[in-house]
Amino acid sequence: MLEVILMSIERVSLAIIVGGGIIMAACVRPLLLQQLSRKDRKEIVKSTEAISINAWNRYNKVAFVATTVMMVLDFIRIGMRIQYSYWHLGLVAIILLLLLWKFIVDKSLKKRLLEKGDAAVNSSEQNKEHRLVELLSKIILVLAIILTVFPFQI
């Protein structure tokens, strides 16, 4: 019975990570990119950049909590000698580290936007870090899908 409860909590956590990642990448990002490409209104572009960073940061926080819950569930399984696998724990740990990396990059993006203002928007540094965040998001999404498709098989 406990194993079913743990698996259910894990499934909800994975749904949050995968579903949120897909919504952010497929719905939110394209909508905000349209506004970021406008050169005529700098104040709107700067505000949109801030909204984009904050939206991703909120998703990252929720995904981080969900991943932390999954890590705790894995440790509970190991401690109680319920069915577990080390590859599962390893993938969860990798996702957790990638999310921490995203927090660092998001903080840098936000800091640069606050310090440089309009000059930061579409700057080479800002674009480079946005691409890094996108890459990290894709890797996290792929790993979460792998965890969804291949649950706890020893």
Side-chain angles (χ1 to χ4, degrees):
M1 180 64 175
L2 180 61
E3 190 172 343
V4 172
I5 293 170
L6 296 177
M7 185 63 86
S8 299
I9 295 170
E10 178 186 314
R11 291 287 155 209
V12 170
S13 296
L14 282 169
I16 289 169
I17 296 167
V18 173
I22 290 171
I23 289 171
M24 291 299 293
C27 301
V28 176
R29 179 89 173 129
L31 176 67
L32 294 175
L33 277 177
Q34 289 175 350
Q35 295 299 319
L36 286 172
S37 64
R38 295 182 66 173
K39 304 282 185 203
D40 55 338
R41 293 185 155 176
K42 291 188 178 197
E43 66 278 352
I44 290 177
V45 173
K46 182 181 174 190
S47 297
T48 304
E49 174 79 2
I51 290 169
S52 174
I53 293 168
N54 288 331
W56 274 103
N57 203 8
R58 285 190 183 116
Y59 163 72
N60 293 339
K61 288 177 184 175
V62 171
F64 183 81
V65 169
T67 307
T68 304
V69 166
M70 288 175 31
M71 173 97 39
V72 169
L73 293 176
D74 281 345
F75 286 130
I76 289 172
R77 285 184 180 109
I78 291 170
M80 296 183 73
R81 301 192 194 288
I82 300 175
Q83 180 183 9
Y84 65 91
S85 62
Y86 288 111
W87 71 267
H88 188 277
L89 181 63
L91 288 181
V92 172
I94 290 169
I95 292 173
L96 205 58
L97 291 174
L98 292 174
L99 285 166
L100 288 172
W101 192 359
K102 282 179 74 173
F103 286 141
I104 293 167
V105 175
D106 280 345
K107 187 175 183 179
S108 172
L109 286 167
K110 196 176 221 178
K111 181 180 177 185
R112 186 176 302 108
L113 185 64
L114 290 173
E115 289 176 355
K116 295 184 179 179
D118 293 340
V121 178
N122 290 324
S123 67
S124 62
E125 300 95 10
Q126 202 80 344
N127 289 337
K128 180 182 171 186
E129 288 189 350
H130 274 299
R131 284 191 299 275
L132 176 60
V133 168
E134 289 172 9
L135 176 65
L136 295 174
S137 298
K138 290 173 187 174
I139 295 169
I140 289 169
L141 186 58
V142 167
L143 293 177
I145 289 171
I146 289 170
L147 288 172
T148 303
V149 173
F150 301 108
F152 280 110
Q153 294 159 353
I154 297 178

